[in-house]
Short mmCIF file of all heavy atoms in Angstrom, two decimals:
data_model
loop_
_atom_site.label_atom_id
_atom_site.label_comp_id
_atom_site.label_asym_id
_atom_site.label_seq_id
_atom_site.Cartn_x
_atom_site.Cartn_y
_atom_site.Cartn_z
N MET A 1035 82.82 85.84 80.59
CA MET A 1035 83.02 86.01 82.04
C MET A 1035 84.42 86.62 82.26
O MET A 1035 84.60 87.41 83.23
CB MET A 1035 83.00 84.64 82.73
CG MET A 1035 81.52 84.07 82.83
SD MET A 1035 80.38 85.13 83.70
CE MET A 1035 81.09 85.05 85.33
N HIS A 1045 87.94 98.47 87.55
CA HIS A 1045 87.05 99.61 87.98
C HIS A 1045 86.33 99.37 89.30
O HIS A 1045 85.41 100.15 89.57
CB HIS A 1045 86.00 99.87 86.89
CG HIS A 1045 86.57 100.13 85.51
ND1 HIS A 1045 87.32 101.31 85.26
CD2 HIS A 1045 86.53 99.46 84.35
CE1 HIS A 1045 87.72 101.32 83.97
NE2 HIS A 1045 87.26 100.19 83.41
N TRP A 1046 86.76 98.46 90.06
CA TRP A 1046 85.94 98.09 91.29
C TRP A 1046 85.93 99.33 92.21
O TRP A 1046 84.90 99.53 92.86
CB TRP A 1046 86.59 96.91 92.00
CG TRP A 1046 88.00 97.25 92.47
CD1 TRP A 1046 89.19 96.97 91.84
CD2 TRP A 1046 88.33 97.78 93.79
NE1 TRP A 1046 90.23 97.38 92.65
CE2 TRP A 1046 89.74 97.89 93.86
CE3 TRP A 1046 87.58 98.19 94.81
CZ2 TRP A 1046 90.43 98.36 94.95
CZ3 TRP A 1046 88.30 98.74 95.99
CH2 TRP A 1046 89.68 98.79 95.95
N LEU A 1050 82.72 101.27 94.03
CA LEU A 1050 82.71 101.46 95.47
C LEU A 1050 82.54 102.98 95.80
O LEU A 1050 81.75 103.33 96.65
CB LEU A 1050 84.01 100.93 96.11
CG LEU A 1050 84.12 101.12 97.69
CD1 LEU A 1050 82.91 100.41 98.38
CD2 LEU A 1050 85.49 100.61 98.14
N THR A 1101 80.84 121.38 89.43
CA THR A 1101 80.44 122.82 89.43
C THR A 1101 78.94 122.98 89.52
O THR A 1101 78.45 123.86 90.28
CB THR A 1101 81.03 123.46 88.21
OG1 THR A 1101 82.42 123.37 88.19
CG2 THR A 1101 80.62 124.96 88.20
N ILE A 1113 81.24 113.93 97.24
CA ILE A 1113 81.46 114.26 95.79
C ILE A 1113 82.87 114.84 95.67
O ILE A 1113 83.49 114.81 94.64
CB ILE A 1113 80.43 115.24 95.28
CG1 ILE A 1113 80.53 115.39 93.78
CG2 ILE A 1113 80.60 116.64 96.03
CD1 ILE A 1113 79.39 116.18 93.21
N ALA A 1121 91.44 114.39 89.16
CA ALA A 1121 92.75 115.11 89.03
C ALA A 1121 93.87 114.09 89.01
O ALA A 1121 94.83 114.19 88.17
CB ALA A 1121 92.88 116.10 90.19
N THR A 1125 96.71 113.67 85.85
CA THR A 1125 98.12 113.92 85.98
C THR A 1125 98.97 112.68 85.97
O THR A 1125 100.18 112.75 85.70
CB THR A 1125 98.44 114.72 87.26
OG1 THR A 1125 97.89 113.98 88.42
CG2 THR A 1125 97.67 116.07 87.25
N ALA A 1144 85.91 126.07 92.17
CA ALA A 1144 86.28 126.91 93.36
C ALA A 1144 85.19 128.00 93.53
O ALA A 1144 84.76 128.34 94.61
CB ALA A 1144 87.67 127.49 93.24
N SER A 1149 80.44 130.37 96.21
CA SER A 1149 79.14 130.96 96.12
C SER A 1149 78.26 130.45 97.24
O SER A 1149 77.32 131.13 97.65
CB SER A 1149 78.49 130.79 94.81
OG SER A 1149 78.26 129.38 94.59
N TRP A 1151 79.11 129.93 100.27
CA TRP A 1151 79.47 130.50 101.52
C TRP A 1151 79.53 132.09 101.39
O TRP A 1151 80.27 132.73 102.09
CB TRP A 1151 80.84 130.06 101.90
CG TRP A 1151 80.96 128.59 102.06
CD1 TRP A 1151 79.95 127.71 102.56
CD2 TRP A 1151 82.10 127.76 101.69
NE1 TRP A 1151 80.44 126.47 102.55
CE2 TRP A 1151 81.71 126.42 102.03
CE3 TRP A 1151 83.27 127.94 101.07
CZ2 TRP A 1151 82.54 125.31 101.77
CZ3 TRP A 1151 84.11 126.88 100.88
CH2 TRP A 1151 83.78 125.56 101.20
N ASP A 1153 77.56 134.21 102.51
CA ASP A 1153 77.15 134.86 103.64
C ASP A 1153 78.18 134.74 104.80
O ASP A 1153 78.00 135.25 105.91
CB ASP A 1153 75.84 134.39 104.19
CG ASP A 1153 75.88 132.87 104.43
OD1 ASP A 1153 76.78 132.19 103.85
OD2 ASP A 1153 74.94 132.36 105.09
N VAL A 1159 85.84 132.22 103.85
CA VAL A 1159 85.67 131.73 102.53
C VAL A 1159 87.02 131.52 101.90
O VAL A 1159 87.33 130.49 101.24
CB VAL A 1159 84.88 132.73 101.67
CG1 VAL A 1159 84.81 132.27 100.20
CG2 VAL A 1159 83.47 132.87 102.23
N PHE A 1166 90.64 123.76 99.66
CA PHE A 1166 90.24 123.01 98.43
C PHE A 1166 91.39 122.97 97.44
O PHE A 1166 91.69 121.82 96.91
CB PHE A 1166 88.99 123.61 97.82
CG PHE A 1166 88.67 123.10 96.50
CD1 PHE A 1166 88.17 121.91 96.32
CD2 PHE A 1166 88.91 123.85 95.34
CE1 PHE A 1166 87.84 121.37 95.02
CE2 PHE A 1166 88.63 123.38 94.11
CZ PHE A 1166 88.11 122.16 93.92
N ALA A 1168 94.57 123.32 97.91
CA ALA A 1168 95.72 122.58 98.40
C ALA A 1168 95.53 121.03 98.29
O ALA A 1168 96.38 120.36 97.90
CB ALA A 1168 95.98 122.98 99.89
N GLU A 1185 107.35 105.88 84.58
CA GLU A 1185 108.24 106.19 83.41
C GLU A 1185 109.65 105.82 83.74
O GLU A 1185 110.36 105.30 82.85
CB GLU A 1185 108.11 107.65 82.98
CG GLU A 1185 106.83 108.04 82.34
CD GLU A 1185 106.87 109.45 81.76
OE1 GLU A 1185 107.75 110.25 82.19
OE2 GLU A 1185 106.04 109.76 80.92
N ARG A 1199 120.54 92.92 75.27
CA ARG A 1199 120.73 92.54 73.87
C ARG A 1199 122.17 92.79 73.36
O ARG A 1199 122.70 92.01 72.59
CB ARG A 1199 119.71 93.37 72.99
CG ARG A 1199 118.34 92.92 73.08
CD ARG A 1199 117.45 93.49 72.06
NE ARG A 1199 117.30 94.91 72.27
CZ ARG A 1199 116.27 95.53 72.95
NH1 ARG A 1199 115.39 94.73 73.51
NH2 ARG A 1199 116.21 96.80 73.07
N HIS A 1212 134.82 84.38 66.50
CA HIS A 1212 136.17 83.78 66.58
C HIS A 1212 136.20 82.48 65.89
O HIS A 1212 137.16 82.16 65.17
CB HIS A 1212 136.55 83.64 68.06
CG HIS A 1212 137.72 82.77 68.32
ND1 HIS A 1212 139.01 83.17 68.15
CD2 HIS A 1212 137.80 81.45 68.71
CE1 HIS A 1212 139.83 82.26 68.42
NE2 HIS A 1212 139.14 81.15 68.70
N ILE A 1217 138.05 78.87 61.57
CA ILE A 1217 137.66 77.87 60.60
C ILE A 1217 138.13 78.30 59.23
O ILE A 1217 138.62 77.52 58.42
CB ILE A 1217 136.18 77.67 60.65
CG1 ILE A 1217 135.74 76.88 61.81
CG2 ILE A 1217 135.59 77.00 59.36
CD1 ILE A 1217 134.25 76.86 62.10
N ARG A 1236 144.56 66.79 57.33
CA ARG A 1236 143.65 66.11 58.26
C ARG A 1236 143.62 66.83 59.61
O ARG A 1236 142.48 67.02 60.14
CB ARG A 1236 144.10 64.67 58.42
CG ARG A 1236 143.24 63.88 59.44
CD ARG A 1236 143.82 62.44 59.59
NE ARG A 1236 143.06 61.74 60.65
CZ ARG A 1236 141.89 61.16 60.54
NH1 ARG A 1236 141.32 61.17 59.34
NH2 ARG A 1236 141.29 60.57 61.49
N ILE A 1242 138.88 72.14 62.39
CA ILE A 1242 137.64 72.80 61.96
C ILE A 1242 136.47 72.16 62.57
O ILE A 1242 135.49 72.82 63.00
CB ILE A 1242 137.52 72.71 60.37
CG1 ILE A 1242 138.58 73.60 59.74
CG2 ILE A 1242 136.15 73.04 59.86
CD1 ILE A 1242 138.73 73.48 58.20
N SER A 1249 131.62 76.50 68.43
CA SER A 1249 130.86 77.77 67.93
C SER A 1249 129.36 77.48 67.91
O SER A 1249 128.57 78.33 68.32
CB SER A 1249 131.39 78.13 66.58
OG SER A 1249 132.74 78.52 66.65
N THR A 1327 152.22 86.40 61.14
CA THR A 1327 152.64 85.04 61.11
C THR A 1327 152.82 84.46 62.51
O THR A 1327 152.87 83.25 62.69
CB THR A 1327 153.95 84.82 60.31
OG1 THR A 1327 154.96 85.62 61.00
CG2 THR A 1327 153.79 85.30 58.91
N SER A 1328 152.97 85.33 63.52
CA SER A 1328 153.18 84.86 64.92
C SER A 1328 152.56 85.92 65.81
O SER A 1328 152.33 87.05 65.51
CB SER A 1328 154.65 84.73 65.22
OG SER A 1328 155.27 85.96 65.18
N GLY A 1351 148.97 99.46 62.10
CA GLY A 1351 148.10 100.47 61.42
C GLY A 1351 147.13 101.14 62.40
O GLY A 1351 147.14 100.83 63.56
N GLY A 1356 135.55 98.79 66.33
CA GLY A 1356 134.30 98.25 65.93
C GLY A 1356 133.70 97.50 67.15
O GLY A 1356 134.00 97.70 68.31
N ARG A 1365 133.83 94.80 78.53
CA ARG A 1365 133.94 93.72 79.52
C ARG A 1365 135.02 94.05 80.50
O ARG A 1365 134.90 93.82 81.72
CB ARG A 1365 134.31 92.42 78.84
CG ARG A 1365 133.20 91.93 77.99
CD ARG A 1365 133.63 90.61 77.31
NE ARG A 1365 132.57 90.16 76.34
CZ ARG A 1365 131.47 89.59 76.65
NH1 ARG A 1365 131.17 89.33 77.88
NH2 ARG A 1365 130.59 89.22 75.71
N GLY A 1376 146.72 99.39 69.97
CA GLY A 1376 147.39 100.24 69.03
C GLY A 1376 148.54 99.57 68.44
O GLY A 1376 148.98 98.51 68.90
N ARG A 1385 146.36 95.38 75.18
CA ARG A 1385 146.80 95.20 76.60
C ARG A 1385 145.61 95.59 77.45
O ARG A 1385 145.02 96.62 77.40
CB ARG A 1385 147.97 96.10 76.95
CG ARG A 1385 148.57 95.87 78.33
CD ARG A 1385 149.85 96.67 78.49
NE ARG A 1385 150.57 96.32 79.59
CZ ARG A 1385 150.41 96.86 80.83
NH1 ARG A 1385 149.57 97.84 80.99
NH2 ARG A 1385 151.12 96.47 81.90
#
Side-chain angles (χ1 to χ4, degrees):
M1035 291 299 293
H1045 302 294
W1046 65 269
L1050 178 60
T1101 300
I1113 194 171
T1125 59
S1149 67
W1151 302 320
D1153 56 343
V1159 175
F1166 167 74
E1185 287 187 343
R1199 285 193 294 268
H1212 168 78
I1217 288 172
R1236 176 181 175 82
I1242 289 174
S1249 297
T1327 58
S1328 65
R1365 294 180 188 281
R1385 188 173 190 269

